[in-house]
Amino acid sequence: MLAKVNFGVADYVVCGLALCVSLTIGLYYACSGGRQVTTAEYHLGNRNLNFLPVMFSLMVTSQSSILILGLPAETYLYGFLATLTGLGYMFSYWLAARIIIPIVHPIRITSVNEYFELRYKNKSVRILTTVLSFTFWFIYLGIVTYGVSTAIESVLGLPVWLCVVIVSTCSMLYTAIGGIKAVIWTDVIQYFIMITSVLAVLIQGSLKVGGGLQVLQVNSEGKRLDIWNFSLDPTLRYTMWSCVIGNTAKVFWFPLSQSSVQRIGCMPSMKDAYKMFYIVAPLMILTFLMAGSMGLVAYAYFVHVRCDPLESKFINNPNQILPILVSEIFQDTPGMTGLFIAGLFCATLSTVSSGFAVISSMTLQDIIKAKWKNLSEKRSTVASKLTGMALLLAKIKGTLVRLAMLVLTIPTGPYVGIMLYSIFCTSATPAGAIVGGIVSLLFYLWMSIGNIMVNPPNVEKILTPAPQGLCFRNQTQAYNASSVYLNMTNPAPAALEGFNKIYGLSFVWFDLIAIVLVIVIGLITSRIVGAPKEEDVDARYVLDFTEQFVPYLPQKVKFFLSCRSTIPKRRKQIKAEEREDNKEKLVEVPLEEKGRNNDNVF
C-alpha cells in the first residue's frame, strides 16, 4: 500500500530557505553596484557579465517544472525515447548560434523586436512579432506556475491559488528590484538546487530498487529502453525523426526569443556569446537525461513494490507520479521531500523570473519607448520596475491549463519563420513577413482547433504498467480496480476517416510546417509586391546561409551556392570599418589623458 505524503518541519525549513535565498540576491543587486538606475544595467547588466552564470540562466529559462514533472511521467508511460526530445534543444541552440548572435550582438539592441524595425525600416512587422512574443510568454508563464502549483497541492495540500501567489510574488520581487543581474544569479543558485534534488531522487530511488543496474534491467524487461524507433508514421509523437527534426523546429523559438537575445546582449563580446550557446546545448541534453531517468527509477521502484499508482487509482494524473515516488523513498528521511519541492519551486522561479524580465524589457522598448521616444534614462528604468510589479496581477488570476497547453506553441512557429525569412532572404519585404506570418498562424490555429474538435485517437502505445499485487489491503479492492481498468481500456477509439485524417498528425510537426509556410508565402508575396535589390538591403541585418553553415567550402563554391550573393563580402567590410573605428577611439583616449596630465604639470 502506497504511503501518504508526510511533510515535516525540516521540509518546510528547506523550502523556506530556497525562497529566502532568491529574495536576498534580488535585494543585494538592488542595493549594490549601479543600483539598477539605468536601463542598460537593469536589462543587460551593462553588457559586461561573465558568460558562465549567464549560460546557466539561459539554460534554466527553458527548463521549468514542466520538464521536472512532465518528462519523468512521459518516460514512465512511453519509455526512454521520450527523453530524446532533448536532442531538439541541443541542435536548435547549435544552429541558432550561427544565426542570432552575428545579427543581434553587433547592433546592441535590448528587445529582439527592435531588429524587425531596423530590418524593414517600418514598425508593421515589429508590431506583429511583439504580439506573438507577448502571447507566448503570458501563456507559458501561466502553465509553468499553475503546473507546479497543482503538484505542490498534491503534496502539501495548499490551495492552487496560494501556490500561484507565492511563486509569482517571490519572482516578481527580486526581478523588479534587482534586474537582470538578480535574475541571472538566482537562476544559478536555483539550477544547482534543482539538480541536487534530481540527483537525490535518482540515488535514493536506485538504492531502494537494488542499484542502477537493477533499474536498467527492470526497465529493459518493461520495454522502456527500446529507443530505436525509425517509423515514418507522422502521427507518432516519439520517433527518432520527430525527436531530432520535429522537436528542433518546435523549440527553435527559445534560442531566437527575447530571453536568449537579452543574455546575448549581456555578453561583452561575440566570442563569449558563441561559447555560451555551444556549451549550453550539451548541458541541455544532460538535464533531459537526468529528468527522464527519474521516470525509469519510478517504474523500477513501483515494479519493486508491486504497486502502480496510476493503474491502482491511487493517483489520476501522470504528473503526480514523481511526487508520489518522492514521498515513498524519502518517508524516513526528514527534509528530503522538502528538497524536492524546493527543486520544483526553483525550476519554476527561474523560468517565471526570466519571463518577467523578458516582458519588462519588451514592454519598455516595444511599447513605452515606441510611444515616448524621448523618455529619460531614469524614468525608463522606473517604468521597467513598475512593469515587473504589475505582472503580478496578471499571474494571480491563473489560466486554463488544458487550453493553454493546446495553444502554447501557436505563436512560436510563425515567429521563427518570420525571423528566418528576414535574416536569410534578401528579397524579404514587410508585406511578405506579415502575410506569411498570418497564413502560418491561421494554419496553426486551424490544426489546433481541428485537433480539439475531432479528438483523434491516441496512436502512441502506452507500455505495460507496473504490477498491482501489493496495492490493496484486500481482494475486493483489487477486483474493483481491475474492473475499472478493463472497462476503461476496452473501448477502442474509432479511426479517423477522409479529410479528418489530417488532424491525426502529431503536433510535433506543426512548427516545422508553420516555418516553411512563412518562408514560402513570404517569398511569393515579395515577388508579387516587388522585392528590393540585394545592394539596397543593409548587410548588417541579413546573413548568407552558405557562409554561416558551410564556411569551409572553397570561396568559388560558396559564391555559386549563394547565387552570387554579395552579403558576405559587404559584412566583412562593415566589420573591418568597425575595427578601424574602435582603434581610433582607443588611440584618442590616451591622448586626451596625456593632455590632461600635461595641464596638471603646469
Side-chain angles (χ1 to χ4, degrees):
M1 192 76 175
L2 297 177
K4 293 290 183 181
V5 179
N6 182 21
F7 208 76
V9 175
D11 300 305
Y12 282 106
V13 170
V14 172
C15 282
L17 286 174
L19 296 177
C20 289
V21 167
S22 299
L23 291 174
T24 302
I25 292 174
L27 290 171
Y28 171 79
Y29 280 106
C31 303
S32 65
R35 302 195 177 189
Q36 318 302 318
V37 295
T38 66
T39 53
E41 183 177 14
Y42 185 79
H43 291 296
L44 300 171
N46 285 329
R47 301 182 184 274
N48 194 32
L49 299 181
N50 186 281
F51 95 94
L52 196 59
V54 181
M55 180 191 71
F56 283 114
S57 178
L58 176 66
M59 181 167 56
V60 298
T61 299
S62 56
Q63 295 185 352
S64 64
S65 55
I66 296 175
L67 172 69
I68 301 302
L69 288 175
L71 190 59
E74 291 287 297
T75 305
Y76 185 93
L77 294 174
Y78 302 112
F80 201 64
L81 183 57
T83 303
L84 298 187
T85 53
L87 290 171
Y89 280 91
M90 183 177 73
F91 289 124
S92 67
Y93 274 91
W94 276 346
L95 292 172
R98 302 290 299 173
I99 300 172
I100 194 68
I101 294 174
I103 288 290
V104 303
H105 193 277
I107 60 179
R108 300 172 70 84
I109 55 177
T110 301
S111 168
V112 64
N113 300 306
E114 293 178 74
Y115 161 76
F116 296 103
E117 184 173 352
L118 295 170
R119 171 69 174 87
Y120 294 110
K121 304 297 186 289
N122 69 58
K123 295 182 179 180
S124 55
V125 181
R126 180 179 181 178
I127 292 171
L128 176 59
T129 56
T130 299
V131 171
L132 293 175
S133 298
F134 273 110
T135 302
F136 170 82
W137 282 106
F138 276 116
I139 296 173
Y140 183 50
L141 297 184
I143 292 173
V144 169
T145 309
Y146 194 87
V148 73
S149 299
T150 54
I152 292 172
E153 180 189 33
S154 68
V155 174
L156 303 183
L158 294 177
V160 170
W161 69 266
L162 182 57
C163 297
V164 172
V165 170
I166 293 172
V167 171
S168 301
T169 303
C170 289
S171 55
M172 178 274 296
L173 283 175
Y174 70 75
T175 303
I177 62 179
I180 192 65
K181 288 183 180 178
V183 171
I184 287 172
W185 281 106
T186 50
D187 281 352
V188 173
I189 301 299
Q190 289 160 0
Y191 173 76
F192 284 105
I193 293 175
M194 180 181 72
I195 291 299
T196 302
S197 66
V198 170
L199 287 173
V201 172
L202 290 176
I203 294 171
Q204 181 72 355
S206 299
L207 291 175
K208 290 282 186 178
V209 173
L213 292 178
Q214 183 65 19
V215 170
L216 293 176
Q217 182 179 341
V218 171
N219 279 277
S220 178
E221 293 170 356
K223 306 297 183 184
R224 279 164 171 76
L225 297 182
D226 296 341
I227 63 173
W228 307 113
N229 183 356
F230 290 94
S231 171
L232 297 176
D233 185 355
T235 62
L236 291 174
R237 189 178 359 162
Y238 296 123
T239 66
M240 290 300 293
W241 307 115
S242 65
C243 288
V244 175
I245 301 173
N247 273 286
T248 298
K250 195 161 195 67
V251 301
F252 213 73
W253 153 271
F254 282 106
L256 299 182
S257 69
Q258 173 62 21
S259 60
S260 297
V261 169
Q262 201 167 359
R263 281 150 184 79
I264 292 171
C266 293
M267 295 291 95
S269 67
M270 284 180 60
K271 181 180 178 181
D272 289 321
Y274 277 120
K275 186 163 56 174
M276 176 177 66
F277 267 59
Y278 289 149
I279 296 177
V280 82
L283 288 179
M284 287 275 192
I285 283 289
L286 179 62
T287 310
F288 268 78
L289 291 175
M290 292 173 65
S293 296
M294 288 194 292
L296 299 182
V297 169
Y299 177 74
Y301 178 80
F302 291 124
V303 167
H304 177 71
V305 299
R306 299 189 64 77
C307 182
D308 189 294
L310 273 174
E311 302 304 333
S312 65
K313 304 303 174 185
F314 190 80
I315 59 174
N316 298 316
N317 189 336
N319 292 324
Q320 295 175 323
I321 287 175
L322 197 57
I324 290 300
L325 172 69
V326 170
S327 65
E328 281 282 306
I329 63 178
F330 290 127
Q331 57 183 315
D332 299 324
T333 311
M336 294 306 294
T337 303
L339 177 63
F340 170 73
I341 296 299
L344 278 181
F345 260 124
C346 289
T348 303
L349 286 172
S350 60
T351 301
V352 172
S353 62
S354 294
F356 281 165
V358 162
I359 294 173
S360 175
S361 60
M362 287 196 303
T363 301
L364 175 67
Q365 297 294 329
D366 300 325
I367 298 177
I368 297 175
K369 280 195 170 182
K371 179 70 175 176
W372 295 283
K373 295 183 181 295
N374 297 321
L375 195 66
S376 68
E377 191 72 17
K378 184 176 181 180
R379 290 184 178 181
S380 297
T381 309
V382 171
S384 298
K385 295 182 179 182
L386 292 177
T387 301
M389 293 182 180
L391 288 171
L392 174 64
L393 300 177
K395 294 296 296 174
I396 292 177
K397 295 176 184 177
T399 182
L400 299 174
V401 175
R402 183 174 180 275
L403 178 62
M405 286 296 287
L406 290 169
V407 301
L408 175 61
T409 55
I410 287 176
T412 62
Y415 175 93
V416 172
I418 293 172
M419 177 69 80
L420 297 180
Y421 168 74
S422 302
I423 291 176
F424 288 114
C425 301
T426 55
S427 60
T429 60
I434 292 172
V435 173
I438 291 175
V439 170
S440 176
L441 186 62
L442 291 175
F443 160 79
Y444 218 133
L445 283 169
W446 166 54
M447 289 298 294
S448 298
I449 294 172
N451 199 280
I452 297 169
M453 300 298 292
V454 175
N455 193 23
N458 183 19
V459 295
E460 213 73 43
K461 182 181 178 182
I462 297 179
L463 300 176
T464 306
Q468 305 175 57
L470 300 182
C471 285
F472 308 100
R473 296 169 191 246
N474 55 60
Q475 293 298 318
T476 303
Q477 285 180 305
Y479 174 78
N480 290 338
S482 299
S483 301
V484 170
Y485 174 68
L486 290 172
N487 292 334
M488 182 181 68
T489 55
N490 276 338
L496 297 178
E497 297 180 355
F499 188 75
N500 285 340
K501 287 183 178 180
I502 195 172
Y503 299 121
L505 180 69
S506 172
F507 65 85
V508 174
W509 299 104
F510 287 6
D511 288 75
L512 181 61
I513 298 172
I515 292 168
V516 173
L517 271 177
V518 174
I519 296 173
V520 172
I521 299 296
L523 289 174
I524 294 173
T525 305
S526 297
R527 183 85 174 181
I528 294 172
V529 302
K533 296 180 180 179
E534 185 179 273
E535 55 266 25
D536 296 331
V537 177
D538 193 330
R540 292 177 297 173
Y541 309 127
V542 290
L543 295 173
D544 177 66
F545 186 86
T546 56
E547 188 68 31
Q548 294 306 116
F549 292 104
V550 284
Y552 301 110
L553 288 177
Q555 193 63 38
K556 291 183 179 180
V557 176
K558 287 191 295 182
F559 189 59
F560 173 77
L561 292 176
S562 65
C563 300
R564 303 180 182 278
S565 173
T566 60
I567 294 299
K569 183 178 179 180
R570 289 164 58 195
R571 285 185 62 85
K572 288 178 181 177
Q573 289 174 346
I574 292 172
K575 289 181 181 178
E577 291 171 1
E578 289 175 349
R579 281 196 294 267
E580 289 298 323
D581 291 340
N582 291 332
K583 286 180 181 179
E584 290 177 4
K585 290 177 182 178
L586 291 173
V587 170
E588 288 173 2
V589 172
L591 287 175
E592 291 175 3
E593 291 179 355
K594 184 177 180 180
R596 285 196 296 270
N597 292 334
N598 291 337
D599 291 340
N600 291 335
V601 171
F602 294 104

